[in-house]
Amino acid sequence: MEEVKVNTGIIIIVYSSDSRTCSRADLTNQFYGLYAWEHLVRRELKEKWENLLKDTSDQQILEKGAVLFSQWMNPLDGSITLEAVQGQLDSIAELVASELLQDDSRSTRLATTLPYPDLFEKLGTPVLRILDALNAVLYDRLKFKPATPVNYYQVENSFINQVLKRRTGIPLSMSVIYQSIARRLGVSLMPVNFPSHFMLKLQEDRQQTTPQDPVLIDAFNRGQRRTPQQCLDLIMTFDPSIASQEIFSRDTNVNDVLLRMVANMFGSYQHSTYEIERYYDNQTGKWGSIYFSSSLSLQLFLCSMMSSTNSVRENVAYCSVVCIETGYNLEVVERTLTDKMRTQPGMSTTGLNSLFERAKEQLERRNELIGTPPKVKKRNDGLLYRVGMIMKHRRYDYVCVIYGWDHVCEMSRAWIQQMGVDSLPRGKNQPFYNVLVMDGTNRYAAQESLEHCPQPALSHVTHWEVGKYFSSFTGRRYLPNDALRQVYPEDL
């Protein structure tokens, strides 16, 4: 066992997070122990977010916010720390500085006495030369590259720790890294938050004596520098509604950038395929994602901390609608809407009042169901498999464990068409099984697509939700916990 101490002073004893080391018993205890740990971690992260948002003039706010975002989305990964990320950014800045100083005879003496921002100002190093060196190191030597259309919406491309490790990112995450390194070298870059892209703007060039058009930097495309018109031409290919250069002269609200970090996760969810990134929750009857609920809760929390702007109102409304439709975070929605309408009365005229009533009604309906016995599912002769069995998919070759079933496919007609269920020999009129897959996803598979795993003892499923449904592993199958046995009593 492993003792985990949280700074709040609360200690939780949980089994190792590697479920392979507790394969015989206490899987449910482990799951809920980790669930409680996750809750405590996020409680501490809320305090850090609150402190960060108190001073939006902090020059490090975006890199700090990017780390907090990664920690929130991956609360059980203790390797994600501000110190670790800043250490990597410092190392890259050191490489850029070495590139700049190697040909300057004055640099040896000054480098030992001055920090880099003061050093390069003292040396009179042109800002654009610093950016050229940054581009050479980041893209040529370290091989940072943009996400491709194939992998663009992978969630790892949004997490700063993963982008530094994999050296692949999306415009926002690449821009945060680029801006953070430039700042360490004395170059100030401001974010430019387009609806369909994200870029940086050079604040000033100390060598310029007369006002010049702003220089726009595209960190997603190897740090290319563009004039406002060139940038506008590029952006209009994605969003023709942007037809004015005025957007380049406005300062971007840093809160909007932080909200966009979270909003990008919704993009990852919406553009992912059902088989790879999404899962079906048999208990709520809703589609979800490992990161979906976390994104919604963080977005609502950040909005609750920010003053009312059009962007904040839009985010509150969007998250509230999604939460009401999916049943996620209803308590948070009700609390956020109540607070916004109380402290900022103007928001009640935007339609949030009706959303509040919908959330309240759904909460009351859900609370009425608390304590209601679960619906028992009866087996018939058509069912070949039982909950707890370790299976293998005939086509995709993945190993999984069954945690639920339906006598026929219970999904919507749109899902059936999208997944090609009608093309199966038995179509939708056969049992379908909810399964936890080795890769961490939850899937809904037809009976004819599954077969017994030939070596169940060697195929212990390491899915993070195993303990939610099963109490132990016998070496051949998983034993349902009390909650699952109530729903499938005949599967024992």
Side-chain angles (χ1 to χ4, degrees):
M1 287 193 296
E2 176 183 352
E3 183 180 276
V4 180
K5 183 171 182 179
V6 184
N7 291 339
T8 55
I10 299 176
I11 299 177
I12 298 179
I13 305 296
V14 297
Y15 287 88
S16 167
S17 58
D18 183 354
S19 57
R20 287 169 295 186
T21 64
C22 64
S23 60
R24 294 295 181 264
D26 293 305
L27 295 176
T28 300
N29 287 341
Q30 176 197 356
F31 174 80
Y32 286 103
L34 292 174
Y35 186 83
W37 182 11
E38 177 180 315
H39 174 77
L40 291 173
V41 170
R42 287 208 172 118
R43 190 168 74 176
E44 289 196 344
L45 290 175
K46 283 184 177 182
E47 295 179 5
K48 294 181 179 180
W49 274 114
E50 289 171 356
N51 292 331
L52 184 68
L53 294 175
K54 286 177 182 177
D55 182 14
T56 55
S57 64
D58 184 350
Q59 291 186 338
Q60 300 182 47
I61 189 168
L62 289 186
E63 74 184 62
K64 290 179 179 178
V67 173
L68 286 177
F69 167 65
S70 295
Q71 291 174 325
W72 183 280
M73 302 305 295
N74 304 278
L76 303 182
D77 186 348
S79 68
I80 307 172
T81 66
L82 180 62
E83 294 75 19
V85 169
Q86 289 184 329
Q88 293 178 76
L89 294 171
D90 290 343
S91 296
I92 299 175
E94 290 274 357
L95 292 175
V96 179
S98 298
E99 182 91 5
L100 288 164
L101 296 176
Q102 62 183 353
D103 297 325
D104 196 316
S105 59
R106 299 175 297 163
S107 63
T108 304
R109 178 176 57 83
L110 291 174
T112 62
T113 59
L114 293 174
Y116 288 138
D118 297 336
L119 171 63
F120 292 122
E121 183 174 3
K122 182 80 172 178
L123 293 174
T125 308
V127 168
L128 296 185
R129 185 183 169 206
I130 295 175
L131 295 181
D132 286 339
L134 172 52
N135 291 345
V137 169
L138 200 62
Y139 303 109
D140 296 331
R141 189 190 304 188
L142 299 181
K143 306 300 182 185
F144 275 76
K145 59 187 182 297
T148 67
V150 174
N151 65 15
Y152 188 91
Y153 291 102
Q154 288 182 357
V155 293
E156 291 84 0
N157 295 330
S158 292
F159 302 146
I160 190 170
N161 59 304
Q162 288 291 338
V163 177
L164 287 167
K165 177 182 179 180
R166 298 164 64 247
R167 301 184 181 182
T168 302
I170 57 176
L172 178 50
S173 58
M174 296 280 279
S175 293
V176 171
I177 289 173
Y178 195 102
Q179 183 213 45
S180 301
I181 298 168
R183 189 191 67 253
R184 285 162 166 77
L185 301 167
V187 180
S188 179
L189 302 174
M190 295 297 293
V192 183
N193 195 13
F194 295 108
S196 54
H197 199 42
F198 196 92
M199 300 183 76
L200 298 167
K201 179 174 66 176
L202 180 60
Q203 278 292 85
E204 60 179 348
D205 186 339
R206 50 180 170 259
Q207 277 69 44
Q208 291 180 353
T209 57
T210 58
Q212 302 287 328
D213 285 338
V215 176
L216 282 301
I217 299 168
D218 191 347
F220 187 66
N221 289 299
R222 296 181 58 83
Q224 289 183 15
R225 296 195 283 271
R226 307 179 190 272
T227 66
Q229 186 58 52
Q230 290 171 333
C231 188
L232 190 62
D233 292 341
L234 172 67
I235 298 303
M236 286 182 66
T237 62
F238 301 105
D239 190 349
S241 65
I242 300 176
S244 171
Q245 293 189 23
E246 180 185 348
I247 190 170
F248 302 113
S249 62
R250 296 198 302 262
D251 288 336
T252 296
N253 187 320
V254 71
N255 287 344
D256 290 345
V257 180
L258 296 173
L259 289 174
R260 183 163 179 168
M261 286 184 188
V262 190
N264 283 338
M265 296 302 295
F266 300 137
S268 294
Y269 169 75
Q270 291 165 349
H271 289 84
S272 60
T273 64
Y274 281 92
E275 310 136 85
I276 304 300
E277 298 290 347
R278 299 182 178 186
Y279 67 80
Y280 184 72
D281 189 325
N282 194 44
Q283 293 186 343
T284 64
K286 302 291 184 180
W287 279 103
S289 161
I290 294 173
Y291 296 106
F292 183 64
S293 181
S294 299
S295 301
L296 288 170
S297 63
L298 178 56
Q299 193 85 313
L300 285 168
F301 172 70
L302 293 180
C303 287
S304 72
M305 298 295 300
M306 296 173 178
S307 300
S308 177
T309 63
N310 287 337
S311 177
V312 170
R313 284 193 292 270
E314 290 170 2
N315 276 281
V316 170
Y318 173 79
C319 289
S320 298
V321 169
V322 174
C323 287
I324 291 168
E325 292 297 325
T326 61
Y328 287 117
N329 299 312
L330 289 173
E331 294 88 352
V332 179
V333 170
E334 185 183 41
R335 209 161 45 239
T336 302
L337 293 175
T338 300
D339 179 68
K340 285 296 181 185
M341 290 187 292
R342 176 177 57 81
T343 60
Q344 301 170 43
M347 293 194 73
S348 62
T349 63
T350 66
L352 298 188
N353 191 43
S354 63
L355 290 174
F356 169 77
E357 293 299 328
R358 287 176 61 191
K360 183 178 178 181
E361 178 184 347
Q362 194 156 325
L363 262 177
E364 291 173 350
R365 190 182 309 121
R366 192 183 70 181
N367 290 338
E368 290 174 359
L369 297 176
I370 294 178
T372 303
K375 182 180 178 181
V376 176
K377 306 193 78 169
K378 297 288 187 179
R379 295 186 62 83
N380 63 19
D381 293 339
L383 282 162
L384 298 181
Y385 309 127
R386 300 171 183 269
V387 295
M389 285 185 171
I390 297 178
M391 312 298 293
K392 185 177 180 181
H393 197 280
R394 295 177 185 272
R395 178 179 179 185
Y396 297 116
D397 210 37
Y398 62 70
V399 175
C400 59
V401 58
I402 296 171
Y403 71 97
W405 45 255
D406 297 310
H407 293 292
V408 296
C409 181
E410 297 289 350
M411 299 302 293
S412 68
R413 186 62 199 164
W415 185 90
I416 289 172
Q417 291 177 340
Q418 181 172 358
M419 299 304 296
V421 172
D422 290 331
S423 65
L424 295 173
R426 296 184 59 193
K428 66 177 183 177
N429 295 314
Q430 62 176 306
F432 272 69
Y433 296 85
N434 300 98
V435 295
L436 304 176
V437 185
M438 280 282 201
D439 63 6
T441 60
N442 301 42
R443 310 193 193 189
Y444 195 53
Q447 180 165 279
E448 67 183 68
S449 299
L450 297 175
E451 63 182 2
H452 287 287
C453 183
Q455 293 180 300
L458 301 178
S459 304
H460 183 68
V461 178
T462 55
H463 192 287
W464 67 287
E465 280 193 313
V466 162
K468 183 177 180 179
Y469 303 103
F470 304 102
S471 60
S472 61
F473 179 59
T474 66
R476 294 191 59 82
R477 62 168 295 184
Y478 284 90
L479 298 182
N481 59 20
D482 291 342
L484 198 63
R485 282 203 301 268
Q486 291 181 54
V487 181
Y488 301 97
E490 298 175 352
D491 276 25
L492 300 181

